[in-house]
Amino acid sequence: MKQSIFKKIGLVALLLTTVSLFANAQGEKPSPAKTAEGEINGAKITINYSSPAVKGRTVWGDLVPMGEVWRAGANDATTIEFSKDVKIQGKELPAGKYSFFVIPGEMESTFIFNKVAKQWGAYTYDQAEDALRVTVPSGQTSSLEERLVYEITKTGFEIRWEYGRASASVE
């Protein structure tokens, strides 16, 4: 009888191990949800985005065309929320939640804050709903950023992916 119990316990342990290994084999999602949070001059800033990986691809000018509206992430449009009125690149933006898009360029990019916060990608993007568009500096970095990342800095926020980087000041 003791052997039978040990066999059952062993079988259950094997089954649990197999399920656990299978779950881990699934790995990380292709574009996991990420959040960047910070505060600048008393304004809480929250950026929610999906973070795709480079996976050996050429991102800028290929996967993401230059000069065209891009959803600035994967899946749902990236959102950015400000707890109080701010100035982006010296231009006023009221407190609120916005979808965030980018028109990438080699030396300058356009950051777009759109009043329709919940969108799938840029498929229904409507320029008439833009709350603000600003031109920001952009360029190349020397180090590869495998996954798309947003970071709130002391003076604003930036987006980095592959060898590209663009940033905006926030006051």
Side-chain angles (χ1 to χ4, degrees):
M1 184 166 170
K2 284 185 180 181
Q3 284 184 339
S4 176
I5 291 173
F6 288 125
K7 284 182 182 180
K8 287 179 183 178
I9 291 172
L11 186 59
V12 168
L14 179 63
L15 181 62
L16 289 173
T17 302
T18 302
V19 169
S20 176
L21 288 173
F22 179 75
N24 287 335
Q26 298 302 305
E28 190 173 30
K29 293 180 180 180
S31 300
K34 301 281 184 181
T35 300
E37 293 181 305
E39 191 173 305
I40 298 174
N41 296 328
K44 182 178 179 190
I45 303 168
T46 305
I47 303 172
N48 290 302
Y49 63 103
S50 293
S51 178
V54 174
K55 297 182 192 173
R57 303 175 288 187
T58 300
V59 172
W60 305 111
D62 190 13
L63 181 64
V64 177
M66 300 297 245
E68 295 181 22
V69 174
W70 171 56
R71 63 180 152 192
N75 307 321
D76 283 340
T78 294
T79 61
I80 186 165
E81 188 169 4
F82 300 94
S83 65
K84 68 179 209 175
D85 295 355
V86 294
K87 287 186 179 180
I88 309 291
Q89 297 293 110
K91 296 183 180 180
E92 294 186 12
L93 183 66
K97 186 174 188 176
Y98 302 91
S99 56
F100 179 71
F101 298 95
V102 175
I103 300 175
E106 287 184 34
M107 302 304 283
E108 292 182 329
S109 295
T110 302
F111 281 5
I112 303 167
F113 302 84
N114 189 272
K115 292 181 261 183
V116 181
K118 182 67 175 160
Q119 299 185 52
W120 176 258
Y123 302 109
T124 60
Y125 166 76
D126 181 359
Q127 183 175 346
E129 294 293 330
D130 289 352
L132 179 66
R133 280 180 169 227
V134 294
T135 301
V136 300
S138 60
Q140 296 285 309
T141 65
S142 60
S143 59
L144 173 71
E145 191 79 58
E146 176 63 26
R147 287 206 169 271
L148 173 70
V149 65
Y150 284 86
E151 183 178 354
I152 310 299
T153 66
K154 292 178 183 178
T155 59
F157 70 96
E158 66 180 28
I159 177 176
R160 298 185 309 270
W161 194 24
E162 191 196 30
Y163 293 101
R165 177 185 174 275
S167 61
S169 66
V170 177
E171 301 173 43

